[in-house]
Amino acid sequence: MSSINLLAAVQSLNAKNMQSLMLKTTKYQTNTGGNLVPIADLVNKVVGSQTIKDGIDIRKAKLAGAKYKAKHFGRVGMVPMGLNDINIDIQREIEQKHIGNNILPIFDPRITQPINVIYYPETGRYTCWDGLQTLSTILILISHGLIEVENENWETFEVKANIIDADLIVPGASCTVAEAVANFGFRTLNGPTGRKKVDPYYVMRSEYHGAKLYSSDLQEDLHSRDMWEALLRHNMHPADENNKLKPGHIAHISGMKTKAGHDKESFNIDTFEASIDFLSAHFIKDNGINSSFYMAIAELFKILDEQKIKIGSKSTQFSTDRFAIFLKDRYGKVDTSHSFRKIAAKRLEHTRTKLGYKTHTWTDDCSLPYMLDDYEKYCDACGFTLGKLPVLDNMKEFV
Amino acid sequence: MNEDIRYFYMWVHPYTQKTCYGVTDTLSRRKRNYQGHNGFDITWNFIARGSSDDIEKLEGTLKKKVALVEQDLGRKISYGKYEWIEAEVEYSTIEALIDNFLEEDNYDSVTIIKSGNVENNVEYDDDEEDEEVDNSQ
């Protein structure tokens, strides 16, 4: 009979998993051998698609046979701070809290965006239509003596800018010149049709890479690294919108961060990992983990930990095996069309209607009370020992 | 008895050479149960003592790793869904794996009482064999 060395087998598996983890984290390491890919390689993959062709057709019609020239793109240059005016009918107000809470704590001069300005040759001045918060932050830093300025004259301090001459006319444009461009530009860059909001998945991936690949010591990066690796240890994955229906994927990034206490002193990776371990062990084959279901499970494991209730596959206090069997029996699969959310929403609507509510806005708060109430009934009906359930502050509100 | 203390044990079946493992809070009672079922004496090959959390985690980790190895090999190396590992798995490598778990993870509460040929001088409840009934006349 052949003899198996269990230690060697497990170590070999661990090595394979580590290799797989490395591959996953450097998903864009292609045959070129690195994570730096020529722009043409990326564009070539999409340039012929129907979606792109549709957009091009609209643009062609607007251009009516004309073509853009390099001069139409404006120019970049350095603009003295003191020559900037703000069109207050276009720009927002100064976002004091945003600057104080978010920009200043992590300020890095290399990561400032060029401001967008219109240049008026007759006055020699500029109107800034995008970049007010950047300009304000720089001036605040100068005011507090944190930027070295020649002759202590802030007005001469130059900032990088994307400059459009006020009389620049381009083919196929919906707006004419000067402040009309500024007005349209502000809306285009900052409105819903401009820059696509970055999916939280990419933010978390950036934080994870910050700690994993670039030795960042930012708390948000360290926490994201711990969470990401905990997921991978259990063959689970954070997901963006496009991948949320894949087995073992969780797209509710903000929910995961909230429940784990991401970037807070209360960060608890053990409880987070316990919930992921549970989802992996019992629901990894479903097409993604539904957000409401995830929130309920994460909340459950958090409360079990807080109330020091022992969990385990066969724990006499809270048996995870039994709970998983109940979840599958009662709610079925936990993918995005998961019946748990539907069942809970229906129950919420029914209960609220009886109480005289006219609207039934969904709240994740009802998930765990309903789930534990269902579990209690299930154990009772099946004659199973219930064990120890956590006490919920909001149980009476819903059950 | 401190109710939070648990034992993780392993013993090798003298006839099938399969390795049995498990968790108990009373070794003597567990041993009597095995002996009662099997009809022969058994000897613990490995005993570790620690908090119930750590000991249950240790057992769970072993079980999970065995399942992963089975998945990788494409065949079973455990018996059914029970805490038995087939004879083809060399016992000393199971013990080495447990040592490896204890070294590489945080098992602060765990003490190895018996391992391989070494028996530490620590008392455990298996010494309390005084409940046996003598039916001889």
Side-chain angles (χ1 to χ4, degrees):
Chain A
M1 182 181 288
S2 64
S3 182
I4 293 176
N5 181 327
L6 194 61
L7 175 64
V10 169
Q11 284 175 336
S12 155
L13 263 181
N14 289 346
K16 276 187 203 168
N17 282 343
M18 188 52 74
Q19 211 172 12
S20 147
L21 188 148
M22 296 289 284
L23 282 171
K24 282 166 190 159
T25 58
T26 53
K27 171 175 156 185
Y28 291 108
Q29 283 188 342
T30 60
N31 294 340
T32 56
N35 60 347
L36 300 179
V37 182
I39 180 65
D41 290 2
L42 297 177
V43 174
N44 282 340
K45 291 178 187 166
V46 301
V47 71
S49 74
Q50 195 54 51
T51 311
I52 296 296
K53 280 179 184 166
D54 291 346
I56 287 292
D57 287 345
I58 296 170
R59 194 85 313 253
K60 269 185 183 170
K62 292 262 186 190
L63 282 167
K67 282 188 181 180
Y68 294 121
K69 294 176 181 166
K71 67 174 184 181
H72 294 144
F73 289 84
R75 56 197 158 86
V76 291
M78 302 302 286
V79 173
M81 290 273 292
L83 293 182
N84 281 290
D85 296 315
I86 308 297
N87 184 335
I88 57 171
D89 282 342
I90 293 174
Q91 283 271 22
R92 289 174 289 177
E93 293 181 359
I94 291 178
E95 301 277 359
Q96 191 181 161
K97 279 188 184 169
H98 181 57
I99 292 173
N101 297 339
N102 303 325
I103 299 181
L104 287 173
I106 58 161
F107 182 81
D108 182 329
R110 294 167 300 182
I111 307 173
T112 48
Q113 291 270 29
I115 59 171
N116 280 291
V117 296
I118 304 289
Y119 176 60
Y120 291 86
E122 60 271 29
T123 60
R125 295 185 68 82
Y126 301 80
T127 61
C128 171
W129 54 269
D130 182 72
L132 172 61
Q133 311 311 327
T134 303
L135 268 184
S136 310
T137 303
I138 292 172
L139 191 49
I140 287 167
L141 286 164
I142 291 173
S143 306
H144 285 268
L146 295 180
I147 295 179
E148 205 173 281
V149 178
E150 271 183 39
N151 303 320
E152 295 188 1
N153 182 3
W154 68 270
E155 294 192 5
T156 59
F157 186 79
E158 293 182 327
V159 292
K160 55 198 175 191
N162 173 34
I163 306 163
I164 306 294
D165 290 325
D167 58 356
L168 177 64
I169 293 173
V170 300
S174 307
C175 57
T176 51
V177 292
E179 293 309 279
V181 178
N183 187 53
F184 182 65
F186 171 81
R187 182 184 353 133
T188 304
L189 284 193
N190 299 302
T193 55
R195 288 182 188 135
K196 187 175 184 295
K197 199 177 172 210
V198 178
D199 190 299
Y201 163 82
Y202 291 102
V203 176
M204 189 181 185
R205 191 183 70 172
S206 170
E207 291 164 346
Y208 166 54
H209 282 167
K212 182 77 181 175
L213 305 177
Y214 306 116
S215 309
S216 165
D217 60 357
L218 284 173
Q219 182 173 264
E220 64 198 36
D221 293 7
L222 298 172
H223 287 179
S224 282
R225 178 199 60 194
D226 292 350
M227 290 172 69
W228 197 287
E229 290 184 347
L231 282 154
L232 293 183
R233 273 196 290 279
H234 299 280
N235 286 317
M236 300 285 283
H237 306 269
D240 61 4
E241 270 300 299
N242 298 326
N243 290 297
K244 69 181 183 184
L245 295 180
K246 288 185 180 169
H249 282 64
I250 303 176
H252 198 5
I253 305 292
S254 60
M256 280 197 284
K257 284 182 166 180
T258 304
K259 292 299 176 191
H262 180 267
D263 204 21
K264 290 185 182 141
E265 276 185 27
S266 57
F267 181 63
N268 188 334
I269 190 64
D270 292 336
T271 307
F272 172 75
E273 186 159 359
S275 66
I276 295 301
D277 185 14
F278 174 77
L279 292 169
S280 169
H282 302 287
F283 301 101
I284 198 165
K285 289 181 181 167
D286 292 2
N287 294 325
I289 305 290
N290 169 261
S291 294
S292 299
F293 183 75
Y294 169 76
M295 291 300 273
I297 295 299
E299 178 70 7
L300 171 65
F301 277 79
K302 192 164 162 264
I303 293 177
L304 285 168
D305 180 57
E306 283 167 5
Q307 298 184 12
K308 301 194 185 312
I309 296 173
K310 285 175 187 164
I311 59 172
S313 56
K314 291 177 186 168
S315 171
T316 51
Q317 293 203 349
F318 190 87
S319 163
T320 48
D321 278 1
R322 178 166 295 166
F323 192 66
I325 291 168
F326 146 72
L327 291 171
K328 287 176 184 177
D329 272 6
R330 178 77 177 88
Y331 308 123
K333 290 190 171 186
V334 294
D335 53 27
T336 47
S337 61
H338 172 44
S339 56
F340 165 71
R341 166 69 190 262
K342 285 181 192 164
I343 291 170
K346 209 167 181 178
R347 181 170 173 181
L348 183 70
E349 185 181 339
H350 182 69
T351 312
R352 297 247 154 137
T353 304
K354 271 171 63 180
L355 290 171
Y357 284 75
K358 288 186 179 164
T359 55
H360 317 287
T361 312
W362 169 259
T363 167
D364 278 330
D365 290 350
C366 74
S367 297
L368 195 51
Y370 287 169
M371 200 179 262
L372 293 185
D373 184 48
D374 285 346
Y375 183 47
E376 207 168 336
K377 286 172 185 160
Y378 175 84
C379 286
D380 194 37
C382 299
F384 292 150
T385 310
L386 183 61
K388 196 172 173 185
L389 287 189
V391 177
L392 306 181
D393 290 341
N394 63 347
M395 195 73 178
K396 282 184 181 167
E397 188 185 334
F398 295 100
V399 177
Chain B
M1 184 186 72
N2 183 338
E3 62 181 9
D4 285 321
I5 291 296
R6 296 281 188 282
Y7 296 91
F8 172 81
Y9 59 80
M10 293 195 286
W11 63 279
V12 179
H13 194 288
Y15 302 112
T16 66
Q17 301 305 312
K18 291 179 183 181
T19 300
C20 173
Y21 64 94
V23 168
T24 182
D25 58 5
T26 319
L27 284 165
S28 54
R29 191 167 59 225
R30 183 59 57 92
K31 185 188 266 187
R32 277 200 304 279
N33 287 342
Y34 281 130
Q35 293 181 158
H37 280 294
N38 289 315
F40 53 78
D41 286 351
I42 69 152
T43 307
W44 302 124
N45 292 71
F46 181 94
I47 302 170
R49 181 169 70 185
S51 70
S52 59
D53 284 351
D54 278 352
I55 290 294
E56 276 166 20
K57 177 177 152 190
L58 186 64
E59 186 199 35
T61 306
L62 175 62
K63 199 176 283 183
K64 196 179 281 184
K65 293 294 180 188
V66 166
L68 286 171
V69 170
E70 287 178 336
Q71 206 177 329
D72 191 49
L73 294 174
R75 64 191 165 91
K76 297 282 288 178
I77 57 167
S78 59
Y79 173 65
K81 289 184 176 178
Y82 302 105
E83 287 80 16
W84 284 92
I85 298 174
E86 292 290 357
E88 63 176 319
V89 179
E90 200 179 315
Y91 169 74
S92 65
T93 69
I94 307 174
E95 214 177 278
L97 181 64
I98 297 292
D99 282 343
N100 186 257
F101 292 158
L102 297 176
E103 275 170 26
E104 295 202 341
D105 204 346
N106 182 18
Y107 284 99
D108 286 346
S109 73
V110 177
T111 310
I112 295 178
I113 294 174
K114 187 176 183 187
S115 158
N117 296 322
V118 179
E119 185 150 6
N120 290 329
N121 190 21
V122 179
E123 283 187 11
Y124 55 95
D125 81 332
D126 201 33
D127 295 334
E128 300 160 8
E129 297 286 1
D130 53 355
E131 294 175 37
E132 282 185 13
V133 179
D134 183 357
N135 289 324
S136 57
Q137 297 296 316

